[in-house]
């Protein structure tokens, strides 16, 4: 592939999908800072309000592949628009309701829309950018998640304290509706779409390489999120950083995450497995260093930023690899990656919470995270030994754009 192609400017739709990803990621993460406000307003305990986070994660895990299969015959542009509109409606219903149960159901519906959007957007972004720029396109698209951590979540929490959580939900609904109009206008239409069958979609479930990517995704993403989810106790109780300074350090984590997704996207097209291995190994190394060095302020600050840089890179590299190995059903392969990411979040936060209450104390989550990241290297090593990305799969003439993007494979130089 000529180098000029690799350096080509990405299509506008990739940037627009990054904005959509920003909205989706903001609603997933911002609620953690709004829980006390929501619990008080809805008349439930904070622990009960925490079910809003759990329900969203479950909705993402189950909903992403389910909705992908259910909408397989719909044009991808239409699916993106419908996802954004359902996302908006879910937030409006939640903002209007005084009942916790209704808000909980609305969060599940919102999660289904989020899973559908992220999985379809991944296929649209990589298809529009072309095979040589698939990972770079994913890096730009998923930088919306990093931006949400940097700006969306802190700003949303701050505004939510001022105008209430309902105001934040209204804002997200309005922005999603606007995004639906803009993406509907600029997302490329599918000129020649081959009839997609349920059998071809489900055929990806027989791909062993895909399952190895999904296992690595759950473990590596869960590794850094185990530490991130409980970073506040580590910083305040062990490092001695004041509670007021913690949000600033989290912004640093977000900046590292934003840069990490972009860098991983740029290197992932040329050396996908090597990049993924660097992400997992880098996360494990940072977490292992964080355990003994977290009693020192400066090293801890540096390591937290590096954790964002290494960990979030997985969002840029996992989906292109999954789509590559599951090329018979790219939308389902991308959806399964979204599910794997959220499985990692659910498992990591549970194990990290147990470790936090154990004799490990504040270092427990980082210990769990390091173990998960190291385990995540095993499926990557297996893929490398299989020389998984050294095989070029010829694309049939009638394949869809998503299939074509997945079929033309670059050579990976890992071993």
């Amino acid at each position: 592939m000529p180098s000029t192609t690799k350096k080509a400017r990405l299509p506008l739709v990739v940037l627009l999908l990054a904005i959509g990803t920003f909205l989706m990621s903001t609603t997933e993460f911002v609620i953690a800072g709004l829980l006390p406000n929501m619990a008080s307003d809805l008349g439930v305990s904070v622990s009960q309000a925490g079910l809003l986070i759990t329900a969203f994660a479950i909705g993402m895990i189950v909903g992403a592949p389910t909705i992908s299969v259910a909408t397989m015959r719909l044009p991808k542009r239409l699916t993106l628009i419908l996802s954004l509109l359902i996302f908006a409606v879910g937030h409006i219903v939640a903002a209007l309701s005084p009942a916790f149960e209704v808000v909980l159901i609305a969060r599940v519906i919102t999660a289904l829309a989020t899973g559908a959007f992220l999985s379809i957007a991944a296929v649209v972004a990589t298809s529009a950018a072309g095979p040589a720029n698939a990972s770079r396109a994913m890096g730009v698209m998923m930088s919306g998640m990093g931006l949400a951590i940097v700006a969306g979540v802190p700003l949303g929490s701050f505004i939510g304290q001022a105008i209430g959580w309902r105001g934040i939900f209204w804002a997200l609904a309005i922005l999603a509706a606007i995004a639906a109009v803009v993406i509907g206008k600029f997302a490329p239409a599918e000129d020649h779409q081959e009839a997609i069958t349920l059998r071809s979609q489900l055929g990806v479930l027989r791909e062993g390489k895909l399952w190895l990517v999904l296992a690595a995704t759950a473990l590596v993403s869960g590794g850094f999120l185990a530490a991130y989810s409980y970073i506040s106790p580590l910083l305040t109780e062990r490092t001695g950083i004041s509670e007021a300074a913690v949000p600033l350090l989290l912004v640093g984590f977000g900046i590292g995450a934003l840069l990490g997704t972009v860098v991983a996207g740029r290197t992932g097209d040329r050396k996908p497995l090597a990049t993924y291995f660097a992400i997992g190994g880098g996360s494990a190394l940072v977490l292992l260093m964080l355990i003994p060095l977290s009693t020192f302020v400066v090293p801890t600050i540096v390591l937290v930023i590096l954790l964002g840089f290494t960990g979030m890179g997985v969002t840029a590299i996992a989906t292109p690899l999954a789509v590559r190995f599951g090329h018979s059903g790219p939308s389902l392969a991308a959806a399964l990656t979204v599910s794997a990411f959220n499985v990692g979040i659910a498992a990591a936060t549970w194990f990290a919470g147990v470790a936090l209450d154990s004799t490990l104390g504040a270092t427990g989550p980082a210990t769990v995270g390091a173990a998960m990241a190291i385990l995540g290297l095993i499926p990557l090593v297996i893929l490398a030994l299989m020389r998984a990305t050294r095989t070029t799969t010829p694309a049939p003439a009638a394949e869809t754009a998503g299939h074509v993007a997945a079929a033309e494979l670059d050579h990976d130089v890992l071993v």
Side-chain angles (χ1 to χ4, degrees):
M1 189 76 57
S3 59
T4 53
T5 302
K6 289 182 180 296
K7 297 179 180 179
R9 179 179 297 179
L10 292 175
L12 174 62
V13 69
V14 176
L15 180 60
L16 297 177
L17 294 174
I19 296 173
T21 303
F22 168 79
L23 294 175
M24 301 293 179
S25 301
T26 297
T27 200
E28 181 173 8
F29 296 118
V30 74
I31 198 168
L34 301 175
L35 280 183
N37 186 297
M38 297 183 73
S40 175
D41 187 41
L42 296 171
V44 297
S45 66
V46 174
S47 60
Q48 284 179 293
L51 291 175
L52 297 172
I53 298 176
T54 305
F56 193 94
I58 293 174
M60 290 277 283
I61 293 169
V62 177
T66 303
I67 299 299
S68 175
V69 172
T71 60
M72 64 182 180
R73 295 185 183 275
L74 294 179
K76 292 180 176 59
R77 179 166 61 181
L78 177 60
T79 305
L80 290 174
I81 295 171
L82 290 176
S83 298
L84 285 163
L85 292 178
I86 294 172
F87 178 91
V89 170
H91 282 81
I92 292 173
V93 170
L96 291 174
S97 176
F100 173 75
E101 293 77 12
V102 174
V103 176
L104 187 65
I105 294 172
R107 284 291 289 175
V108 174
I109 293 173
T110 302
L112 296 177
T114 299
F117 178 89
L118 292 178
S119 57
I120 298 300
V123 176
V124 172
T126 53
S127 299
N133 296 292
S135 291
R136 185 157 69 97
M138 277 303 301
V140 172
M141 182 186 128
M142 295 309 297
S143 68
M145 182 179 292
L147 185 60
I149 297 173
V150 174
V153 173
L155 186 61
S157 298
F158 176 77
I159 296 175
Q161 298 301 321
I163 65 174
W165 66 271
R166 297 180 191 275
I168 294 297
F169 275 42
W170 275 109
L172 288 170
I174 293 170
L175 290 173
I178 295 173
V181 174
V182 176
I183 289 177
K185 180 177 177 60
F186 291 101
E190 297 167 85
D191 296 327
H192 303 286
Q193 181 173 358
E194 182 188 14
I196 301 174
T197 64
L198 179 61
R199 182 177 180 179
S200 67
Q201 283 283 325
L202 296 181
V204 304
L205 300 179
R206 297 191 297 269
E207 295 291 339
K209 295 174 185 177
L210 172 62
W211 287 106
L212 289 171
V213 172
L214 297 178
T217 300
L219 289 165
V220 174
S221 62
F224 84 91
L225 286 169
Y228 176 73
S229 299
Y230 295 94
I231 198 69
S232 292
L234 180 74
L235 297 176
T236 56
E237 298 174 14
R238 184 170 170 84
T239 312
I241 294 176
S242 67
E243 290 186 7
V246 170
L248 294 176
L249 191 50
L250 295 183
V251 170
F253 174 92
I255 293 173
L258 183 61
L259 294 174
T261 55
V262 175
V263 172
R266 288 185 175 275
T267 60
D269 287 312
R270 290 179 287 108
K271 298 182 178 181
L273 280 182
T275 300
Y276 208 156
F277 198 88
I279 290 168
S283 295
L285 180 61
V286 169
L287 289 166
L288 288 172
M289 293 175 65
L290 189 61
I291 296 170
L293 295 179
S294 55
T295 55
F296 304 97
V297 174
V298 174
T300 298
I301 293 174
V302 173
L303 288 171
V304 168
I305 295 173
L306 286 176
L307 182 62
F309 180 83
T310 57
M312 282 298 293
V314 70
T315 60
I317 196 66
T319 301
L321 268 179
V323 170
R324 171 177 293 188
F325 296 139
H327 56 82
S328 65
S331 297
L332 180 57
L336 289 171
T337 312
V338 173
S339 294
F341 189 80
N342 282 275
V343 166
I345 293 176
T349 51
W350 186 82
F351 283 117
V354 172
L356 183 66
D357 294 332
S358 72
T359 56
L360 294 172
T363 63
T367 304
V368 169
M372 291 185 70
I374 292 170
L375 289 174
L377 298 178
I378 296 176
L380 297 178
V381 170
I382 295 173
L383 285 170
L385 293 175
M386 294 170 65
R387 297 178 179 269
T389 57
R390 290 177 182 262
T391 303
T392 301
T393 304
E399 280 184 320
T400 65
H403 288 61
V404 172
E408 186 177 336
L409 305 183
D410 295 324
H411 290 286
D412 178 33
V413 187
L414 177 62
V415 294

